[in-house]
Amino acid sequence: MSSEEIIYQKATSMSQGETHYCPGCTHGTVHKLIAECLDEINMVDDAIVIAPVGCAVLIYDYFQIDGVEAAHGRAPAVATGVKRVHPDKMVISYQGDGDLLAIGMAETIHAANRGENITVIFVNNAIYGMTGGQMAPTTMVGQKTTTTPSGRQPDDVGLPIRACELLNTLERPVYIERVSCHNSPNILKAKKAIKKALLNQKEGKGYSFVEVLATCPTNWGLSPKKSYDWLEETMIPYYPLGNFRDKEV
Ligand SMILES: Cc1ncc(C[n+]2csc(CCOP(=O)(O)OP(=O)(O)O)c2C)c(N)n1
Ligand code: SF4
């Protein structure tokens, strides 16, 4: 018998090798959580990820699962089609804030309103990461971006949109939760929410939405450490963490 005990190993649903994400970016953390959950609920061979347009555009390269690339914002519509054709598959729509709440707002609302049996993972980093830091629907008031160089002004561009609260006005979603990835206790809570959202789909319960507050140190112009602090101090007061809907409770 070996005296060695495995205390940690990479999830089998993750690919080997490195990602292209910047230091301190939480996209990689969210990927890891999804992969661990797929392993734990035995859905690795049946999972299909719908990739967004945004920094996570290559997500299918980082998982050992099938993937479909959607046009910008259309991931929930593509996920709907894939799930209806393959109801036994685990279909995950993975999207950033530009993808999900700007160009893809209509697809987001209508998939939730139909109550599609899919899981939507919404990575809210308050900016357009991939294209160089333009304002997103979730950019904070006063936050400087390349398209709001003096800071976001509500009189010009409105207030940041709270996705969970918006979707919570609809009847059909079964699960809506906002979590964060800026420190270990919150990463553990994020994993629990992602697992629940995936299990809901496996059990045929319907539409589940998890918003993950995330960092973009590169376009925020902050170090990784300072970006975690900024998320906690600036984003969480406006985007409160917690469960908004759990039809089982
Ligand atoms: C139809 C279309 N319009 C605009 C773009 C340019 N574009 C690419 S990614 C992106 C936004 C990315 O931001 P987000 O969804 O927040 O994801 P992140 O990169 O921050 O993860 C935009 C506007 C595009 N690729 N296609
Ligand atoms: S630009 Fe921002 S969102 Fe994109 S990989 Fe870098 S830190 Fe992450």
Side-chain angles (χ1 to χ4, degrees):
M1 185 194 286
S2 164
S3 60
E4 288 177 3
E5 186 191 352
I6 296 173
I7 53 169
Y8 179 80
Q9 62 185 2
K10 202 169 183 176
T12 60
S13 48
M14 285 219 94
S15 305
Q16 298 303 319
E18 296 173 1
T19 71
H20 71 287
Y21 298 123
C22 311
C25 177
T26 41
H27 270 304
T29 311
V30 182
H31 289 12
K32 179 180 148 207
L33 297 182
I34 294 171
E36 288 179 356
C37 291
L38 288 174
D39 277 21
E40 289 168 23
I41 65 173
N42 281 325
M43 288 303 286
V44 179
D45 294 336
D46 289 307
I48 302 173
V49 68
I50 314 299
V53 174
C55 278
V57 68
L58 298 174
I59 188 170
Y60 42 77
D61 279 349
Y62 302 142
F63 284 86
Q64 301 273 22
I65 63 175
D66 286 330
V68 180
E69 178 61 63
H72 198 22
R74 310 308 184 232
V78 174
T80 297
V82 172
K83 184 69 183 182
R84 287 187 180 196
V85 173
H86 297 289
D88 296 333
K89 298 291 179 187
M90 169 78 61
V91 182
I92 304 164
S93 182
Y94 184 104
Q95 300 174 261
D97 40 68
D99 192 90
L100 185 137
L101 281 181
I103 195 168
M105 176 64 104
E107 283 76 9
T108 295
I109 297 281
H110 289 292
N113 193 45
R114 292 190 302 269
E116 297 294 340
N117 187 28
I118 59 173
T119 304
V120 178
I121 306 296
F122 169 40
V123 178
N124 176 5
N125 61 13
I127 207 157
Y128 287 7
M130 185 195 211
T131 43
Q134 295 83 3
M135 191 197 88
T138 53
T139 293
M140 302 306 300
V141 170
Q143 184 182 340
K144 290 186 179 167
T145 69
T146 54
T147 46
T148 56
S150 309
R152 181 179 186 152
Q153 304 297 331
D155 287 347
D156 286 342
V157 290
L159 288 156
I161 296 175
R162 295 180 175 107
C164 291
E165 288 83 339
L166 194 63
L167 296 181
N168 202 23
T169 63
L170 304 172
E171 296 282 328
R172 304 295 298 271
V174 294
Y175 185 72
I176 302 172
E177 180 140 348
R178 183 181 289 122
V179 294
S180 177
C181 261
H182 69 290
N183 60 26
S184 302
N186 279 285
I187 289 171
L188 292 176
K189 284 186 196 159
K191 180 171 174 184
K192 216 171 144 197
I194 290 170
K195 195 167 180 179
K196 169 85 177 155
L198 295 172
L199 276 172
N200 282 346
Q201 182 182 163
K202 188 176 183 189
E203 293 161 12
K205 291 184 178 155
Y207 180 94
S208 295
F209 183 89
V210 179
E211 173 175 350
V212 186
L213 299 186
T215 56
C216 178
T218 300
N219 287 299
W220 293 357
L222 297 174
S223 68
K225 164 77 175 86
K226 284 196 171 141
S227 71
Y228 301 141
D229 295 343
W230 189 85
L231 186 162
E232 180 157 33
E233 288 156 16
T234 314
M235 290 180 75
I236 292 179
Y238 188 85
Y239 297 115
L241 304 181
N243 183 261
F244 291 79
R245 172 88 56 92
D246 185 351
K247 283 206 170 162
E248 274 179 6
V249 178

